[in-house]
Amino acid sequence: MLRDRFGRRIEYLRISVTDRCNLRCLYCMPASGCAWKPQEQILRYEEIVTIAREMARRGITKLRITGGEPLVRRDLPSLVAQLVKVPRIEEVALSTNGVLLERYAEDLTAAGLSRVNISLDTLDAAKFTQVTRLGSLEAVLRGIQTALKVGLDPVKLNCVLLRGINDDEIEQFALLSMTQPLHIRFIELMPLGSLEFFHPDRFMPVTEAKARCETWGELVPVDDLAGSGPASVFRYQNASGTIGFIGALTCSFCHRCNRLRLTADGWLRPCLDSRIGVNLRDPLRRGASPEELEELIRQAVAMKPESHHMSLTMRQDEFETMCAVGG
Ligand code: SAM
């Protein structure tokens, strides 16, 4: 079992399968994209599976595939099919921008994917193009409906709160949770990603979003939704979906953090905002034994900080692009 210096049990691994993305969200990366890693530096599927197996032996039970945009990597369902077979892995989930989900949802479900989080910051087509700089809202909406149709459950929608951009849509998002089995997650903008974009004036605390949702009806706490993690989750009476709030900056949830992150190029990182981590790829390619890998995994866990140190007033040189860390 993996336990860090602060007694937190580590059970969850987020696996970034690519640093590339088919969108260029304003807050996530510069318009030109990131400096993509050369292909030979990116973990191959069999390497990811080997790492997942070693991690599962030490207590990891949940995996989430992320990126970059994971669906731009070829044949993702085949990776899912291999990961679900790893002993002791109880669920494999996916984070996606949804653009390619209509095409892949059925194959992913057949491969054993349990659930999906879809990023969606606006329900307005023109704003969608403004925020993502590419892509079409229609494709994402079709992806969401396909995810529901093929039985992925729960289907969560991650919405980053952007003051002046989507704060007039909070009620509209909340309404979706009433009428459809969709689970909305309002997330605070973090000082990660695009240097040009992040500004305290664009930041909206989740408390404000929650107050706006409460003008619509009472929010009843929910505590049994799969993978609630850092979110505080609520439901309107008789609603089919839920509404969650992730106060990445204003609410301290690090004491509950149970995760590690594997970057697309094989670094095991203990925290989203930190640059610390352990390189697993090179030892793996040199033929490291399971014991050596275990030692490296334990080192990464030992490095896990008590909490992140992101704040509204972070220096610009402390930023790192989310696509490189693996969101
Ligand atoms: N492409 C996939 C997706 O869209 O879900 C996975 C990677 S993406 C980086 C993961 C999540 O990180 C998305 O929901 C995105 O909105 C969020 N994200 C990226 N930069 C962020 C920032 N600066 N603050 C808050 N959330 C951010």
Side-chain angles (χ1 to χ4, degrees):
M1 194 201 290
L2 295 170
R3 216 177 258 286
D4 73 4
R5 290 177 293 153
F6 307 98
R8 293 170 297 196
R9 200 169 148 177
I10 309 300
E11 299 170 304
Y12 177 22
L13 177 67
R14 294 176 71 98
I15 300 173
S16 172
V17 293
T18 178
D19 56 346
R20 295 170 196 237
C21 191
N22 47 359
L23 299 181
R24 300 279 182 277
C25 296
L26 290 172
Y27 52 80
C28 190
M29 63 172 91
S32 53
C34 301
W36 311 127
K37 303 247 159 42
Q39 206 178 343
E40 67 276 8
Q41 289 186 18
I42 301 296
L43 289 178
R44 298 186 282 268
Y45 283 169
E46 63 267 27
E47 293 171 328
I48 292 175
V49 174
T50 301
I51 292 172
R53 197 172 290 125
E54 293 308 322
M55 305 282 288
R57 276 204 194 112
R58 273 128 207 131
I60 295 289
T61 55
K62 294 188 178 121
L63 301 176
R64 172 171 295 277
I65 299 174
T66 179
E69 170 49 39
L71 292 180
V72 301
R73 182 139 177 198
R74 200 173 323 142
D75 206 10
L76 197 71
S78 80
L79 176 65
V80 172
Q82 294 174 66
L83 290 176
V84 297
K85 287 195 203 108
V86 170
R88 289 174 288 274
I89 291 301
E90 293 165 8
E91 71 166 35
V92 178
L94 174 73
S95 285
T96 172
N97 58 33
V99 171
L100 297 171
L101 196 55
E102 183 185 27
R103 192 186 309 169
Y104 292 116
E106 197 165 345
D107 289 350
L108 289 164
T109 311
L113 188 76
S114 312
R115 52 197 187 83
V116 69
N117 286 17
I118 301 164
S119 304
L120 184 62
D121 301 325
T122 174
L123 298 165
D124 176 281
K127 262 198 249 174
F128 184 89
T129 311
Q130 179 201 344
V131 172
T132 63
R133 296 191 182 108
L134 298 168
S136 103
L137 175 65
E138 271 306 305
V140 180
L141 297 180
R142 287 198 305 272
I144 293 169
Q145 291 310 318
T146 312
L148 291 172
K149 199 169 78 197
V150 300
L152 291 168
D153 183 30
V155 174
K156 296 187 191 172
L157 303 187
N158 286 350
C159 173
V160 178
L161 293 163
L162 305 166
R163 198 186 291 285
I165 297 183
N166 65 3
D167 50 336
D168 56 341
E169 297 185 62
I170 291 171
E171 289 82 357
Q172 227 184 315
F173 271 103
L175 180 64
L176 280 182
S177 80
M178 290 238 203
T179 53
Q180 300 190 57
L182 291 172
H183 302 272
I184 317 301
R185 295 289 170 271
F186 290 111
I187 301 173
E188 282 175 356
L189 177 65
M190 290 182 268
L192 280 166
S194 173
L195 298 181
E196 313 96 74
F197 183 79
F198 187 84
H199 191 277
D201 291 349
R202 295 212 160 100
F203 177 81
M204 179 188 239
V206 281
T207 42
E208 203 176 318
K210 180 162 179 264
R212 293 263 295 274
C213 295
E214 279 168 332
T215 59
W216 255 75
E218 191 192 349
L219 286 176
V220 183
V222 174
D223 50 21
D224 59 351
L225 189 75
S228 297
S232 310
V233 185
F234 302 85
R235 188 192 292 277
Y236 290 124
Q237 209 131 44
N238 302 323
S240 12
T242 63
I243 306 179
F245 302 92
I246 303 185
L249 291 193
T250 58
C251 313
S252 171
F253 49 61
C254 298
H255 61 283
R256 283 190 273 149
C257 184
N258 62 352
R259 55 188 66 177
L260 294 173
R261 293 167 189 272
L262 181 64
T263 65
D265 60 345
W267 282 77
L268 189 59
R269 287 176 179 267
C271 179
L272 177 62
D273 84 317
S274 79
R275 288 161 203 213
I276 51 172
V278 169
N279 180 338
L280 293 184
R281 183 197 60 206
D282 295 343
L284 193 64
R285 289 187 181 172
R286 282 197 302 268
S289 65
E291 293 70 30
E292 284 169 88
L293 287 176
E294 168 164 21
E295 178 48 32
L296 293 169
I297 293 166
R298 290 202 183 280
Q299 279 173 22
V301 171
M303 290 172 183
K304 197 167 167 67
E306 187 167 18
S307 67
H308 70 67
H309 47 269
M310 290 185 283
S311 73
L312 283 179
T313 53
M314 262 170 87
R315 289 196 327 267
Q316 297 244 313
D317 61 351
E318 292 174 302
F319 279 63
E320 191 165 11
T321 43
M322 187 81 123
C323 57
V325 183

